[in-house]
Amino acid sequence: MNLMFISDEDRADLWRTHLLKQLPGLNFYVWPADSDVDKTTIDYVLVWKPAAGVIKQFPNIKAILSLGAGIDGITCDPELPTDKPIVRLVDNSLSQGMTQFAVYWAIHFHRDLGKYRVFEQHKTWTQLPQSDAAECRIGLLGLGELGTAVGQALARLQFNVAGWSRSQKSIDGITSYAGAAALPGFLKRTDILICLLPLTAETEGIINGRLLEQLPRGSVVINLARGRHLVDEDLLAALDCGHLSAAVLDVFHTEPLAPDHPFWDHPKVTVTPHIAALTFPHSGAQYIANNVRRMERGEAPENLIDLKKGY
Ligand code: NAP
Ligand code: GLV
């Protein structure tokens, strides 16, 4: 079985090591170093943001395996073959990482830790009133693999958690809002908004001025999904007029974020470089190998993308 790895070459050795532990007979090739291999013999491509036109050069692949949970970096290829299954990454290490990151920021805002940092800088001993986590309303845009993991962890910490998705959910500790008609009600009750949506035609630009104005005054926006969910100018306007109190942004329209982008210096914005959740090869390789084995047995892989929905 032949697999072509199409991602940052410096990650290839680690993925090779862990995939070969799972699939000992695998021939693991790396793009573009191994571009002279017979492309018709490649069975799978394992990809993260492949350049446009690369995937179509492998005419006999059985599937496109994504190294990420989001597949927008694959579907944006105008030459992407539409007859090949795309399998996204669902992995416990990714859910754990995302949960840790989101919980950290929820606690940061709920417990006013940013204010205490400033007090400390001024050597000021000030005790702010402390509120119950149940009074802090967290809203998750997206209640899929990651949104659900984050929401359940926050609910265990007694936060008041709701989530918005396309379909209605029944998840302990999380109030479900589904569909466009339910969005205003969800926003109205949300103090800390966390975006964990996939980037699709429907969700691009969803965090815009119209959405932000429906959040209560003083609320916080945390975007952990994709930069293009957010209209940057609208976020800046909502922060500058005092409607929002803070934003945490891990993802951006252009990555790396340009040095002159206003987010870097904005006092109410925290920028992190797309690190909320990374896939660990030792864990991701087990999932990928399991899906490859399924396909080799003629079974459907888990977590196939529905190109009509876009995720
Ligand atoms: P997922 O399991 O596919 O979940 C997507 C969720 O979004 C589902 O609940 C889905 O609703 C909902 N949704 C999609 N379109 C919608 C719409 N138009 N209206 C309302 N809800 C909609 O995805 P995931 O694994 O949780 O990952 C989410 C995203 O996180 C990824 O696509 C990626 O962009 C991002 N991510 C970021 C990082 C990072 O480090 N910053 C790391 C990993 C992933 P249904 O449940 O009803 O289908
Ligand atoms: C990371 O952003 C991913 O989609 O896995």
Side-chain angles (χ1 to χ4, degrees):
M1 198 186 343
N2 298 325
L3 177 144
M4 181 63 82
F5 178 86
I6 308 173
S7 178
D8 305 331
E9 280 183 83
D10 59 358
R11 298 170 73 199
D13 281 348
L14 211 50
W15 279 101
R16 177 188 284 111
T17 303
H18 289 289
L19 269 175
L20 287 182
K21 273 189 201 155
Q22 300 291 326
L23 301 167
L26 183 74
N27 297 309
F28 183 101
Y29 298 106
V30 180
W31 183 268
D34 295 321
S35 52
D36 54 352
V37 71
D38 179 357
K39 296 186 184 60
T40 64
T41 65
I42 297 297
D43 300 299
Y44 298 97
V45 286
L46 179 58
V47 304
W48 174 247
K49 295 188 180 171
V54 171
I55 293 179
K56 77 159 190 214
Q57 297 182 41
F58 302 93
N60 296 326
I61 49 175
K62 298 172 192 169
I64 300 165
L65 308 172
S66 173
L67 278 165
I71 47 85
D72 46 291
I74 300 173
T75 51
C76 63
D77 177 352
E79 298 169 65
L80 184 72
T82 50
D83 59 334
K84 305 293 183 193
I86 304 176
V87 186
R88 68 192 205 88
L89 197 108
V90 173
D91 175 54
N92 189 44
S93 67
L94 207 56
S95 306
Q96 292 291 316
M98 190 57 85
T99 299
Q100 291 155 7
F101 196 81
V103 166
Y104 173 95
W105 284 108
I107 292 174
H108 173 92
F109 290 113
H110 169 58
R111 297 296 305 270
D112 286 321
L113 296 178
K115 291 182 189 156
Y116 285 112
R117 181 82 185 109
V118 176
F119 294 158
E120 184 195 359
Q121 282 157 357
H122 293 93
K123 299 185 179 165
T124 308
W125 186 271
T126 307
Q127 294 176 330
L128 298 171
Q130 190 175 316
S131 69
D132 195 327
E135 291 167 30
C136 178
R137 299 166 301 175
I138 299 187
L140 293 150
L141 284 174
L143 265 187
E145 289 292 333
L146 300 179
T148 300
V150 167
Q152 288 177 321
L154 289 166
R156 279 194 293 274
L157 293 170
Q158 313 303 319
F159 285 99
N160 178 340
V161 185
W164 182 71
S165 48
R166 271 157 61 112
S167 53
Q168 196 72 39
K169 309 284 178 194
S170 174
I171 307 169
D172 269 357
I174 305 179
T175 306
S176 167
Y177 290 76
L183 187 57
F186 163 82
L187 295 169
K188 203 169 132 192
R189 53 72 60 208
T190 291
D191 302 309
I192 300 179
L193 182 75
I194 303 178
C195 180
L196 280 169
L197 286 167
L199 184 66
T200 66
E202 281 181 33
T203 65
E204 178 157 10
I206 189 168
I207 310 176
N208 56 32
R210 282 188 313 286
L211 178 144
L212 295 173
E213 72 191 13
Q214 296 176 68
L215 291 168
R217 191 171 176 81
S219 51
V220 171
V221 169
I222 303 179
N223 187 15
L224 308 179
R226 287 292 182 262
R228 281 162 55 200
H229 285 123
L230 177 68
V231 179
D232 292 1
E233 301 72 32
D234 291 5
L235 180 81
L236 287 166
L239 289 165
D240 290 341
C241 74
H243 181 64
L244 293 182
S245 63
V248 176
L249 307 174
D250 184 55
V251 285
F252 303 91
H253 283 245
T254 303
E255 296 179 4
L257 186 64
D260 61 349
H261 196 290
F263 285 157
W264 283 115
D265 295 322
H266 199 289
K268 291 182 175 177
V269 176
T270 299
V271 168
T272 53
H274 200 146
I275 45 76
L278 302 176
T279 309
F280 297 140
H282 67 82
S283 158
Q286 292 177 34
Y287 166 84
I288 289 164
N290 186 44
N291 257 339
V292 166
R293 284 188 214 104
R294 288 175 73 102
M295 286 184 273
E296 292 298 307
R297 289 196 299 263
E299 295 168 24
E302 288 177 329
N303 301 304
L304 259 183
I305 293 302
D306 176 346
L307 277 178
K308 275 199 218 88
K309 284 199 302 185
Y311 67 99

